[in-house]
Amino acid sequence: MELSTLLLFSLALLISAGSPGPSIAALVARVLVRGWRDVLPFAAAMWVGEIIWLTCAIAGLAALAESFYWAFEIIKYCGVIYLGYLAWKMWTAPINIAIENPKISRKNNNSFRMFFAGMAVTLGNPKIMVFYLALLPTLIDLNSITLLGWAELSLTLLVILVFIDTAYIILAIRARLLLATPKAVKIANRVSAGMLTTAAAIIASR
C-alpha cells in the first residue's frame, strides 16, 4: 500500500479517535477509580473492536451490518447496561475500597467482563461506525486493498489507537495521584460515575 494512503488514513484516524467520545470517557473514568491495570482488558477490546469495523469496511460488509442492525443494537445496549452498572458501583463505592491496596483491587478485577464491556462499547459506538462504514470509503479505495494492505492498515490503526489511549491513560493516572484524601476520592468516584453515565447515554441515544 502506498505511503500516502497510510498517512491519509492515519491522519483521519488520529482526528477521529483522538477527539474525546464515549469510549474515551469510559476509559478515563475506569482508570481514575481502579488504576491502569484494571483497564487494560477494556482498552484491548476497544482495539480489537476497531479492527473488526475496519475489516467489515474493507470486506464490503456495510450492507450486511445494516441488515443485522438488530444484532449491533443488542450489543450496544448490553454495553450501555454494563456502563450504567459500573457507574452505579463507582457512585456507591465505599471510600476505603477506592483507595485500597492495588493488589487487592486487581484480585477483584474481572478481566472478561471488562473485555466484554470494551467490545460492546466499541461495536455499538455510532462515532466509530460512521468512521469505518461511511467515511473510510471516501478516503481509501477499499476495493483495491489486498490482504497485505489490510494488515498494513490494521497495524497502523493499532499503533495510533495504542498511542492515543495510552496518552489518555497517563493523564488519568496523573490525575489519580492527586486523590490523597477521602474527599478527593469521593469526588473522583462521582465524576467518574457521571462520565460513564454520560457515555452510556450518548451511545444509547444514537
Side-chain angles (χ1 to χ4, degrees):
M1 180 172 293
E2 294 183 0
L3 180 60
S4 58
T5 301
L6 287 177
L7 290 176
L8 179 62
F9 171 71
S10 300
L11 179 60
L13 181 62
L14 190 63
I15 295 173
S16 176
S19 59
S23 300
I24 295 297
L27 185 72
V28 171
R30 194 65 182 175
V31 175
L32 284 175
V33 175
R34 292 294 185 181
W36 65 271
R37 291 180 179 85
D38 183 68
V39 84
L40 290 182
F42 187 91
M46 289 170 55
W47 304 333
V48 172
E50 298 231 18
I51 291 178
I52 290 175
W53 277 123
L54 173 65
T55 304
C56 286
I58 292 175
L61 299 179
L64 182 62
E66 185 175 345
S67 299
F68 288 91
Y69 179 73
W70 58 270
F72 290 98
E73 282 289 284
I74 292 175
I75 293 174
K76 179 179 77 171
Y77 284 108
C78 285
V80 167
I81 291 172
Y82 191 67
L83 286 181
Y85 167 75
L86 290 179
W88 176 76
K89 292 286 288 184
M90 289 179 182
W91 188 274
T92 59
I95 300 303
N96 63 324
I97 291 179
I99 59 176
E100 65 185 353
N101 189 308
K103 294 182 178 179
I104 298 177
S105 298
R106 291 198 295 271
K107 182 179 179 181
N108 294 330
N109 175 41
N110 191 321
S111 298
F112 175 78
R113 285 196 294 181
M114 289 303 300
F115 186 89
F116 169 78
M119 186 67 71
V121 167
T122 303
L123 294 182
N125 190 338
K127 173 186 170 183
I128 298 175
M129 288 184 189
V130 168
F131 177 79
Y132 288 107
L133 299 185
L135 295 182
L136 187 61
T138 68
L139 301 173
I140 301 174
D141 181 10
L142 299 179
N143 294 323
S144 64
I145 295 179
T146 63
L147 182 60
L148 177 60
W150 169 84
E152 292 172 340
L153 285 173
S154 297
L155 181 60
T156 302
L157 179 152
L158 188 60
V159 170
I160 291 176
L161 292 182
V162 169
F163 170 77
I164 292 173
D165 292 342
T166 299
Y168 276 107
I169 289 173
I170 291 174
L171 289 175
I173 290 174
R174 288 185 173 274
R176 190 171 186 264
L177 293 176
L178 300 177
L179 307 179
T181 65
K183 182 178 180 180
V185 172
K186 183 176 181 179
I187 292 175
N189 283 352
R190 298 295 170 85
V191 170
S192 298
M195 292 171 64
L196 284 178
T197 302
T198 302
I202 292 174
I203 293 174
S205 64
R206 297 182 180 179

